[in-house]
Amino acid sequence: MKRIKTVIVGMGKMGRIRYDAMKRHGGYDIVSVCDIDRNSLNGHSEPTHTDWRKCLALSDAETVVVCTYNGDVTEIVCHALNEGMHVFAEKPPGRNLGETKIMKDAHSGSGLVLKFGFNHRYHNSIIEAKTLIEHKLLGDLVCARGVYGKAGTPEFDKEWRNDPQISGGGILLDQGIHMIDLLCYFCGSFSQVHGSVDQLVWQGMKTEDSVFAILKTDDGKIASLHSSAIQWKHKFDLDLICTNGGISLNGLLTASRSYGEERITYYRKDLKQSTGKLGNPIEHTLCFDEDNSWDYEMSEFFEAVANGAPIENGTIDDALGVMGLIEKVYSA
Amino acid sequence: MLKAYSYIENEQLDSGIVDRQIFDKERQIILEFALNNPTPKMEKNCVFCNGATKDFATIDNVFYQRCKACFSIFANVDAELLKRYKAYEPLVDFRSSSEYQNSAAERRKEIWNDFLFWLEYRVARHLRKTSALDVIDVGNFYNAFSEKVKKATFCGSYNTAKAADIVLFLDHFRCLADPMDTLVDFWHKLKDDGILVMGVRVGSGFDIITLKDRLYSIYPYETLLLPSTEGLSIMLNSSGFDVLEISTPGTLDVEFVLQNKEFLDESDLFVHYLLNKTDQSILAEFQRFLQKSGMSSHARIIARKRAL
């Protein structure tokens, strides 16, 4: 197996998750790790840095994995691309659409791999749902309903995520971006956007704590989104309605398991009641007790860098689409 | 490995699949053969994991063992004798009769449709194709089901002489003398990355563990192998397959135990309480728990041929 010399910039929670996934993969040589907080580098045997520019300059790495605050992503990604490095960057792809476009320009014509961490596409329930939709096993997808909510924390309004200078936005950009990405993944590009962006509870906060959005594609698919920081519990639900049946995704397997068991339930339309009472067709549910998403995602990035395989998920065009929608929701 | 469970909200589908008269007639024919062909007690290590075993039961003159390590149950039967059983004329004639075939076709129509949808879905998931696939369907009993498989969207050629994308092996695993050889044979019949789809009665299921030899649907020579899901995984792995998923979507465990509750061990207080002091909705929920937990006795397995 070819090996890829890699550095990780940002060794907070996401950096550590990526570090572990790359170690499990076995094809990555992590040659250096970097974080502005030296405490985050404790225990690492690799060379450590607190200045990302020095880290990139001294490491002789082919790739960089960027897991920093949102406000730093664009500069690091563009710098790395200009230095001829392949880049994997956590979501969001910049604080706003303008920053995503800057990264697009830096990447354009470089021949380098640029991938963003839209990790949810690699969850087992999403892969299963994509199979049903892609092969039209339940007919054509016509509409979707997504709810992604989190509990918040006692000092939620003071977190960096809600400092627009650092984050660029609130719950929609932080967590709702995953649901937006999934709605695009299943439905295609949305051309019409209606939304309501509010501070329903955290009144003094500079970012939103709730977003409702209605999205519509040119071919008539409709999706609704509720991105919430005031769910007071962790919640992930996505319903996909097709012409001949339905799919419900409930829960999401995470390290904390706080989003509940990850399940996909599918059923076929049965208006003639051949499998049960009207309104209660036979349903099948698949449950997952392993989260392979980080491994799948880092494996795809590896294949792209090492073997020239195409990036299927998290391309710069995916990023532009999602950030464009978010900008429309914020300005709706 | 992806672990998946089917969780069926509507348990009505399976309840009518067995015509008791036809079942009893078939059972009687098989019993005649079994009683005329006793099999001497012959102990050996577990055929699935090679673990140590202990006695399980003697049913109709045939001795069954249970593996202490993997919980699989099996009987040792001479291969020649099993060959004679499979060619036993009264049984072959009865199973090919219109009475037998028509009853199954009528009663199992919906469950077959549901199964084929599941199969199409899993084929799309694991082979990323839904048409023009080469299929080998090994030993299913029902002509009507074969016809449905032939017409399935994924089926390009049925019982192809070429290497197959899919080997379907439904229901026959239970009466093999040489399960490992059979699986290796399937390995050779599959294309690289082809998949083996099995339907298997498993010995780790609730009704089997609870009723043991008093379960009327377990009898020689029709049911000789009752692997646990663990034992079957070990054997598939040893035969050159990677197990992609095992689910236990069976819906009849509780019903089978209910039908035989007079034979339950008096000391099995939990099961007595469950069956006698709870209502139908609790029993349905318990059956769903069994499905989800991998403890129903009907399993579906998908395994991919591992390239050399």
Side-chain angles (χ1 to χ4, degrees), chain A residues 77-85 87 103 106-107 110 112-114:
Chain A
V77 167
C78 291
H79 180 89
L81 290 170
N82 289 335
E83 293 295 315
M85 301 170 80
V87 179
M103 289 186 276
H107 177 250
S110 69
L112 297 165
V113 176
L114 173 59

Side-chain angles (χ1 to χ4, degrees), chain B residues 87-114:
Chain B
Y88 185 48
E89 211 166 302
L91 183 61
V92 172
D93 288 348
F94 182 61
R95 283 180 170 165
S96 58
S97 70
S98 56
E99 177 191 13
Y100 186 91
Q101 292 292 333
N102 292 345
S103 169
E106 181 55 35
R107 285 171 175 269
R108 293 170 187 251
K109 185 172 67 180
E110 291 304 332
I111 204 159
W112 284 342
N113 288 343
D114 195 64

Side-chain angles (χ1 to χ4, degrees), chain B residues 187-238:
Chain B
W187 189 94
H188 287 290
K189 288 188 162 116
L190 279 165
K191 295 175 187 172
D192 284 349
D193 290 336
I195 57 171
L196 169 64
V197 180
M198 299 173 72
V200 180
R201 195 86 187 270
V202 285
S204 44
F206 173 71
D207 55 347
I208 293 170
I209 286 178
T210 303
L211 289 167
K212 305 180 190 76
D213 55 326
R214 289 152 295 183
L215 182 59
Y216 70 89
S217 61
I218 299 297
Y219 48 84
Y221 289 87
E222 192 55 34
T223 306
L224 301 172
L225 301 176
L226 288 161
S228 64
T229 52
E230 182 190 354
L232 191 56
S233 296
I234 292 168
M235 180 172 274
L236 281 161
N237 192 47
S238 305

